[in-house]
Amino acid sequence: LSIPGRFSGEYFEVAAGKPGGPGKVHSECHEAFRERHAKKCLLCSGLILAVPDRFSGKFFEYSAGQLGDHAAGSVHSECNAGWKRRWAPKCLQCSGPVMVVEGTFSGEFFPYEAQQMGAHEAGEVHAECHDAWLLRWAKRCLHCKEPILKVDGKFSGLWVTYQAFDGRVHEECSAAFQA
């Protein structure tokens, strides 16, 4: 139906099984129809449509709970890295996402059980954060108070346990500690 000044008489077919279908939509109403029936991005809530200079219209589908406690839905391809980062496990040392982050994290990690080295939760530590993690949680030498770890040129990483003092002493500190 053509109405001069309002509708050209051209229309788009909407197939059965498509959002809003089956039916016809005026060509002048097509953009508003698409926006009304478009899915929303789980991360940014923007419409899953091609938007020049912003969104390509391509997206990733996620089932409910696929990465964490989230609903099923779509994520813009431009938002996908942020979506994965949001649900990635957090590093026990720095709280950053345990995943590949170009220029920051390799994606390699060390798993730890709860209380494995101290009063911490179970989780993962980035390979890049592991030395700081060890320094933070390593037992301390009763003599010099430094962490009992291997330090080239300083400590072998070996220790002597003194049960009477409920602790450890670096092998290198043990003679001085006994004196």
Side-chain angles (χ1 to χ4, degrees):
L1 179 66
S2 174
I3 301 176
R6 182 150 183 172
F7 300 114
S8 65
E10 295 179 24
Y11 59 89
F12 289 89
E13 291 277 345
V14 181
K18 295 288 184 184
K24 297 178 181 179
V25 177
H26 294 117
S27 61
E28 294 82 1
C29 300
H30 187 252
E31 192 63 31
F33 176 84
R34 283 183 52 203
E35 289 176 7
R36 188 174 72 203
H37 292 285
K39 297 176 185 179
K40 291 190 176 180
C41 177
L42 290 171
L43 184 66
C44 74
S45 299
L47 300 175
I48 303 285
L49 295 172
V51 177
D53 299 323
R54 185 149 186 225
F55 299 120
S56 67
K58 296 178 183 173
F59 59 92
F60 292 88
E61 283 289 335
Y62 287 94
S63 55
Q66 185 174 340
L67 299 178
D69 185 22
H70 61 79
S74 305
V75 176
H76 292 114
S77 59
E78 295 82 357
C79 295
N80 198 47
W83 180 251
K84 286 181 178 179
R85 191 175 295 118
R86 176 178 179 185
W87 296 105
K90 304 295 182 231
C91 174
L92 292 172
Q93 177 65 22
C94 74
S95 299
V98 178
M99 60 184 281
V100 174
V101 176
E102 194 67 37
T104 307
F105 301 121
S106 65
E108 295 178 22
F109 62 89
F110 292 87
Y112 280 91
E113 296 175 13
Q115 313 296 319
Q116 186 174 340
M117 293 190 65
H120 60 78
E121 301 173 3
E124 301 162 348
V125 176
H126 294 117
E128 295 81 0
C129 297
H130 197 243
D131 287 347
W133 173 259
L134 290 174
L135 286 172
R136 177 178 171 190
W137 292 104
K139 295 195 181 288
R140 303 287 167 161
C141 175
L142 292 170
H143 179 70
C144 71
K145 309 297 185 229
E146 290 197 43
I148 298 192
L149 297 171
K150 181 179 179 178
V151 178
D152 289 335
K154 190 171 184 180
F155 299 119
S156 66
L158 301 175
W159 70 87
V160 178
T161 300
Y162 287 90
Q163 294 193 0
F165 296 103
D166 191 30
R168 299 175 179 173
V169 175
H170 291 110
E171 182 180 63
E172 294 80 0
C173 297
S174 107
F177 183 72
Q178 291 176 4

